């Protein structure tokens, strides 16, 4: 039932001193808790502006934030500013060339001095070029930090052309957590640096990550192969190894197979042209025939000297007659000809060599933690070899070789699994807690403080006239009823309860409430 204000005030005034002090302390603590919760909820939330800054960049950014009158907090993780000013501050700092990535760019020449020597000018140009290249590489999303080192030899007039040392470059990149650079991105960095420095060959550029892994491909040819051809040959061997392991693991068990494949691939391009004639396939292409006949008539006489001397009578010559005939025939035949042209594309497999290691069988022993090793049978090994032959495309005429060996694997203690980094639960829950905690504090205050206090005051005021406290009113009623004062206090209460059972029951009921 509702409690009116006068009854509550009277009930509070009738409290003992200790109870009044406790109630006052509870009220003060509740009000302070509410004020603290609402103040914390309205406090500015800070977000990271920049992290992993160099000392020079951090100092310049802090100075610019002071000039812009933007509140900030410098912590180990970086520089923090209020959440509603993060993007504006980044835009303003970017317009002023900050952060610079730990290096200077061509703004180094904004302020020049007439007394600068040629050596200093060249050194400043080299520093500026290194800084600009580092900034450009950092524009790649996966790159967090970058440094570029250029080694540019001095040109000399006393050295013949072509004998000067070639410039070299080294690029150090720190990748963001969980990010990697693809081969195309690494090639892009190499060509970017090579195109920015005069006379720099892409093969003289080395790209290294923060773990010391060389990301760029080695310069020159490896065993007569280019970098792309070497990568293809290696990937082809890795693919065959994965096939062999995948076909044997379901049979021998996971982790009990090791395979190494060496592939020799011919990348040369050859072309062959061949012509074949079929003697049985003759065809008459052209035929020519010629027939000639002739008759010859001429004077005749006695041959010799006597018939030709002067004064001699000659005998009349008898005419002679002759006939001749000539025939010719020409036949041209066309032979059947087959012309074939064969072009061998690069990438032909010349030879495959595979070595496969298979673990044995382990069985537990009673009363011992050690496992008994049992080698696999020769029949099983032969079957494994047949599977490997079919998987890798074994060709005997090509000179392929396969060796499957059954040996026990050495038991290596497993490295402790690296647990994933702990999730920042507090940072994730902070935005929601800013609004939930004040509401929760109000609810707890109402349920556990104000509501029980109101019920206690209401019960006190409803059971005794004037809203007096139950204990104080009990002794007043005892005195009014004329209890014997010569008796002890406990006996007086018992005597009063026997004479006034109804009032005693009401007092006990109020205490229970």
């Amino acid at each position: 039932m509702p409690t009116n204000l006068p009854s509550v005030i009277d009930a509070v005034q009738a409290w003992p001193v200790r109870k009044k002090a406790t109630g006052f302390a509870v009220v003060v603590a509740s009000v302070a808790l509410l004020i603290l919760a609402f103040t914390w909820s309205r406090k500015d939330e800070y977000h990271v502006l920049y992290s992993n800054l160099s000392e020079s960049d951090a100092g310049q950014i802090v100075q610019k934030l002071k000039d812009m009158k933007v509140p900030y907090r410098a912590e180990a993780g970086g520089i923090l500013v209020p959440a509603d000013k993060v993007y504006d501050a980044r835009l303003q700092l970017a317009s002023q060339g900050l952060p610079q990535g730990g290096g200077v760019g061509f703004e180094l020449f904004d302020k020049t001095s007439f007394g600068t020597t040629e050596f200093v000018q060249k050194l400043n140009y080299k520093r500026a070029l290194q800084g600009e290249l580092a900034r450009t590489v950092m524009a790649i999303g996966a790159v967090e930090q970058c440094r570029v080192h250029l080694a540019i030899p001095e040109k000399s007039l006393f050295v013949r052309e072509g004998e000067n040392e070639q410039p070299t470059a080294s690029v150090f990149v720190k990748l963001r957590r969980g990010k990697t650079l693809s081969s195309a991105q690494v090639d892009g960095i190499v060509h970017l640096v090579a195109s920015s420095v005069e006379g720099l060959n892409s093969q003289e550029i080395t790209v290294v990550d923060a773990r010391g892994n060389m990301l760029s491909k080695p310069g020159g040819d490896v065993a007569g192969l280019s970098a792309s051809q070497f990568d293809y040959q290696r990937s082809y061997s890795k693919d065959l190894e994965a096939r062999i392991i995948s076909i044997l693991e379901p049979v021998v068990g996971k982790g009990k197979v090791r395979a190494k494949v060496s592939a020799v691939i011919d990348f040369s391009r050859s072309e062959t042209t061949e012509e074949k004639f079929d003697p049985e396939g003759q065809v008459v292409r052209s035929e020519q025939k010629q027939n000639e006949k002739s008759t010859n008539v001429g004077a005749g006489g006695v041959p010799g000297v006597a018939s030709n001397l002067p004064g001699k009578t000659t005998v009349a010559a008898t005419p002679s007659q002759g006939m001749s005939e000539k025939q010719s025939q020409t036949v041209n035949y066309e032979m059947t000809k087959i012309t074939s042209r064969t072009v061998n594309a690069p990438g032909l497999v010349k030879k495959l060599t595979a070595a496969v290691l298979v673990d044995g069988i382990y069985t537990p022993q009673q009363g011992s933690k050690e496992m008994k090793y049992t080698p696999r049978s020769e029949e099983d090994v032969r079957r494994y070899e047949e599977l490997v032959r079919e998987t890798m495309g074994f060709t005997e005429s090509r000179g392929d070789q396969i060796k499957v060996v059954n040996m026990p694997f050495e038991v290596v203690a497993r490295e402790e699994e690296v647990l994933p980094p702990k999730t920042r639960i507090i940072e994730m829950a902070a935005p929601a807690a800013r609004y939930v905690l004040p509401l929760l504090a109000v609810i707890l205050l109402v349920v556990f403080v104000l509501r029980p206090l109101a019920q206690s005051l209401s019960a006190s005021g409803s059971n005794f006239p004037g809203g007096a406290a139950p204990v104080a009113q009990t002794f007043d009623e005892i005195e009014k009823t004329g209890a014997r004062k010569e008796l002890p206090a406990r006996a007086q209460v018992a005597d009063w309860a026997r004479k006034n059972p109804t009032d005693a029951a009401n007092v006990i009921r109020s205490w229970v409430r």
Side-chain angles (χ1 to χ4, degrees), residues 197-459:
V197 180
E198 181 183 0
L200 179 58
N201 193 341
S202 59
Q203 296 180 355
E204 303 296 333
I205 300 175
T206 304
V207 182
V208 182
D209 64 2
R211 296 183 178 180
N213 300 322
M214 188 170 67
L215 305 180
S216 58
K217 299 176 182 177
D221 295 343
V222 180
L225 302 178
S226 64
S228 60
Q229 292 174 348
F230 182 76
D231 290 342
Y232 175 79
Q233 182 170 284
R234 184 173 55 182
S235 63
Y236 184 81
S237 301
K238 294 293 184 182
D239 181 63
L240 289 180
E241 293 172 4
R243 290 183 185 181
I244 294 173
I245 294 175
S246 64
I247 198 65
L248 291 182
E249 272 191 344
V251 181
V252 300
K254 187 174 181 62
K256 293 188 176 183
V257 183
R258 298 291 185 271
K260 288 297 180 183
V261 178
S262 175
V264 179
I265 300 178
D266 185 11
F267 292 98
S268 62
R269 185 183 183 92
S270 61
E271 181 177 347
T272 304
T273 304
E274 184 179 7
E275 292 186 359
K276 293 182 179 181
F277 295 91
D278 186 8
E280 301 296 333
Q282 298 180 2
V283 179
V284 177
R285 181 177 183 181
S286 62
E287 183 177 1
Q288 182 180 3
K289 293 182 179 181
Q290 185 178 5
N291 191 1
E292 296 180 359
K293 292 182 179 182
S294 61
T295 303
N296 298 323
V297 179
V302 179
V305 179
S307 60
N308 293 315
L309 292 175
K312 289 289 185 179
T313 304
T314 60
V315 182
T318 305
S320 60
Q321 182 178 359
M323 297 181 63
S324 62
E325 183 177 357
K326 182 181 180 182
Q327 293 181 354
S328 63
Q329 183 179 0
T330 303
V331 181
N332 296 323
Y333 294 92
E334 186 72 29
M335 303 295 292
T336 302
K337 181 177 67 172
I338 301 175
T339 303
S340 61
R341 180 183 178 188
T342 305
V343 178
N344 294 327
L348 181 65
V349 179
K350 296 179 62 177
K351 185 179 180 181
L352 293 177
T353 304
V356 182
L357 187 63
V358 181
D359 197 4
I361 302 174
Y362 297 88
T363 54
Q365 294 181 352
Q366 294 182 355
S368 176
K369 296 182 179 180
E370 296 182 358
M371 305 289 287
K372 181 181 179 181
Y373 173 78
T374 304
R376 299 185 184 272
S377 63
E378 295 181 0
E379 181 66 20
D380 290 341
V381 175
R382 187 184 60 81
R383 292 178 181 176
Y384 301 155
E385 186 173 343
E386 292 294 332
L387 287 175
V388 174
R389 287 174 181 267
E390 297 297 330
T391 302
M392 64 182 296
F394 179 84
T395 304
E396 187 174 0
S397 60
R398 196 170 52 189
D400 295 351
Q401 296 180 1
I402 295 177
K403 190 66 174 179
V404 179
V405 181
N406 174 219
M407 294 181 65
F409 286 8
E410 183 180 358
V411 180
V412 181
R414 296 183 178 178
E415 297 181 357
E416 296 183 359
E417 296 183 357
V418 180
L419 299 177
K422 296 182 179 180
T423 308
R424 299 178 180 178
I425 302 177
I426 299 179
E427 295 183 2
M428 297 175 59
R434 294 169 61 88
Y435 305 99
V436 174
L437 287 182
L439 180 61
L440 183 61
V442 173
I443 294 175
L444 294 177
L445 181 63
V446 172
V447 173
F448 294 101
V449 179
L450 298 181
R451 186 166 177 261
L453 184 61
Q455 290 179 351
S456 176
L457 295 177
S458 176

Side-chain angles (χ1 to χ4, degrees), residues 463-492:
N463 286 284
F464 295 92
V471 178
Q473 289 293 338
T474 300
F475 289 97
D476 291 343
E477 292 293 337
I478 292 174
E479 293 178 356
K480 290 179 181 179
T481 54
R484 291 179 294 177
K485 296 183 179 180
E486 65 275 5
L487 297 176
R490 185 172 183 180
Q492 294 180 22

